[in-house]
Amino acid sequence: MNSSRGFVDSIVRYPVKGLAGVPTLDPVRLEPGRGLRGDRAFAIARRDSTPSATGWLPREHFFHLARHEHLARISLGLVEEGSESSTLVVETSEGMARGERRSSPSGEVGAFDSTAIDDLLRRTLGADHGEARLVEAASEGLWDWEHAHVSIINLATLEELAREAGMPVDRRRFRANLYLTGLAPFEEFELVGRRIRVGDAELEIFQPTDRCRATTIRPVDGVSDLNVPSLLAARYGYAYCGVYARVVGGGSVRPGDAVREETGAVASLEGKPGWPRAARVLAKEDESDDVVSLWLTDPLDLLPNALPGTHVRVHLPDAPTPNWRSYTISGTAPGRFRISVKRDGRVSTMLHDAHAVGDTILVSGPHGVGGDDASRDLLLVSGGIGITPSMALLRSRVAQRATGRVRVVHSARSSTSLPLWEEACRAVAELPDATARLHVTDTPPPERCDGFTAVGGLIDADALASIVAELDLDRADASVCGPPTFAAHMRALLERSGFAPDRIHVDLFSSPASSEWGPPRAPRADLPLRIESAAGSFVWEPAAGSLLNAAERAGLDWPSECRVGVCGTCVRTVTHGEFEYLNEPLCEPGPGRVAVCSAAPLTPLRLDGAPAGS
Ligand code: FES
């Protein structure tokens, strides 16, 4: 059995990486292990970069749109005159040039002569990045990702983005080879890890496409006018749009061809936690009148192996935006993971009402920093549905046959609505030195307490101090989760009881606080500041905006992808100094770390353990 996944609307080839595409109405052949003939066959190299024998180098070796938006103002024509002869015509503000490959009368294929194009590129692009020149791929195309063959965009997703942006979104921003129609918005992510047949060709969808600054650039004039990654992150909780495919079965494809999903999954799929992918609902269990648990699969099998304390983002394309929300993983088991959802807000309500066993749901994660040293003492303090991280930690302690002492303190409004409490008490009973204490605020405490202590009223300072006194504070951690005021109050009480502040973890979610998105704020610092890093030092100027921009202006090649705080590629450690975020990063860099694409310094900084005064 196979199922319909829309139709091919149009086909585009990009002879030179970073330059304009050349659409075709004719059938094209997709080659196994390669893709469209002549696609990304050339790139404009910076410095001395030459594609390796495998035909691939990271994009930092080439001019690319995310960093060189003026590429959008270079036009390109492709003339093909037979299977091995081709002519490229490049036009810039400095003039026009042709390059060509000819075959000898005996059929021998000659080298591509790019002398005139190289000369034009040097005059157009300047000498800032060394001698620009056209280089040719040895085998596979010069993609941003190794082993990518075909880029696919779902046009319904772009229509959805245009609605959210309040302006047209030109499909050329996304530089796809195949534009598909007839799908629902973001349906392409359901294909990650699946095989599809397009025309006569067979493809494996092996990853979603993360979007970088290149998509912010208006194709007609190279002006950065729409922050697509930021829009995606704010409204949908990720910066992905479209998917990459590998060609596993060659064949001919033309506009209008049907796309069908084949049976069977991609054999080995190694993914990143941030990828949106389709999880299947295996079971739904009522925990109380307003909390339901969902057990789900993960095609990447990352979430069933998540560390306790991490969370998953649920993305519901059918819900009004922002249509994503974070949930702590409340339990894991081989091949499955669990979230426990309180009926509260539109995403949670849809999970309660609109998703049944067997349905698929888009998820990403695990996100956040988790983990637990099971030999240390552990105090778990929770309020309401904040019991979910406590539950994950308790399950982990039981699974590890932990030796550290465990104390559970939970606050609930009603003794008749206690989601996950019985399960927590069962886990406590299995641990060697553990107790559980329940505080009930709005009703009398339960009359029967199996394995726990119950009292009426709020958790107060004395109650908490007496529990803390049972722990070895030199070897103890605390985890706090609940409504923000509850969590802040509990943290203050714990610190007063002698808990070291850096051993208290307060669970924070990065669910969308608002649907706002837009350009980064202006930096507050108005003077140049010195930045020292292990790779080199430079002076940040306010006009540069982000630390990443300033580093690049200074000639440093710091890795980056999305440039809007989503992917985490640019995160570096901060060993000295203070900084601010110009846009809040979604990638959760963690303490002592900074996403340099989204941050500006407030004081001189030392990064990556750079020695002082280097
Ligand atoms: S480049 Fe993606 S978070 Fe900075």
Side-chain angles (χ1 to χ4, degrees), residues 234-307:
R235 302 291 168 86
Y236 307 99
Y238 43 68
Y240 293 87
C241 179
V243 289
Y244 279 128
R246 281 190 286 259
V247 181
V248 290
S252 163
V253 177
R254 72 180 72 202
D257 277 350
V259 180
R260 304 196 72 80
E261 183 180 341
E262 301 278 288
T263 50
V266 174
S268 59
L269 190 67
E270 284 183 22
K272 291 186 186 172
W275 288 8
R277 66 259 189 198
R280 189 166 297 282
V281 182
L282 294 174
K284 240 177 140 174
E285 295 162 356
D286 288 332
E287 303 288 359
S288 69
D289 51 356
D290 63 351
V291 174
V292 67
S293 284
L294 284 83
W295 283 97
L296 299 139
T297 59
D298 175 8
L300 299 181
D301 209 33
L302 296 174
L303 290 159
N305 296 297
L307 292 171

Side-chain angles (χ1 to χ4, degrees), residues 157-239:
T157 301
L158 302 195
E159 284 167 24
E160 163 75 14
L161 287 182
R163 244 190 320 277
E164 288 295 325
M167 62 186 280
V169 174
D170 190 324
R171 66 173 74 177
R172 290 175 295 174
R173 289 176 190 263
F174 298 88
R175 306 176 58 74
N177 298 116
L178 303 181
Y179 291 91
L180 304 188
T181 185
L183 300 169
F186 299 106
E187 189 180 332
E188 67 271 29
F189 296 143
E190 293 180 17
L191 295 173
V192 173
R194 314 298 303 172
R195 290 185 301 120
I196 58 171
R197 180 162 290 281
V198 187
D200 300 328
E202 194 172 334
L203 278 61
E204 284 183 348
I205 309 296
F206 71 94
Q207 71 175 67
T209 310
D210 49 354
R211 291 302 171 179
C212 66
R213 187 174 172 276
T215 52
T216 71
I217 293 160
R218 193 161 54 200
V220 287
D221 55 10
V223 172
S224 179
D225 70 332
L226 173 64
N227 194 337
V228 171
S230 173
L231 173 66
L232 284 164
R235 302 291 168 86
Y236 307 99
Y238 43 68

Side-chain angles (χ1 to χ4, degrees), residues 55 58 70 147 154 188 201 219 255 354 387 403 453 458 514 545 554 585 594:
H70 40 285
H147 307 312
N154 171 5
E188 67 271 29
I387 195 171
T403 52
T453 308
L458 292 165
S514 78
V594 57

Side-chain angles (χ1 to χ4, degrees), residues 560-570 587 595 597:
S560 66
E561 288 293 339
C562 71
R563 302 180 79 93
V564 293
V566 177
C567 68
T569 309
C570 71
C587 63
C597 68

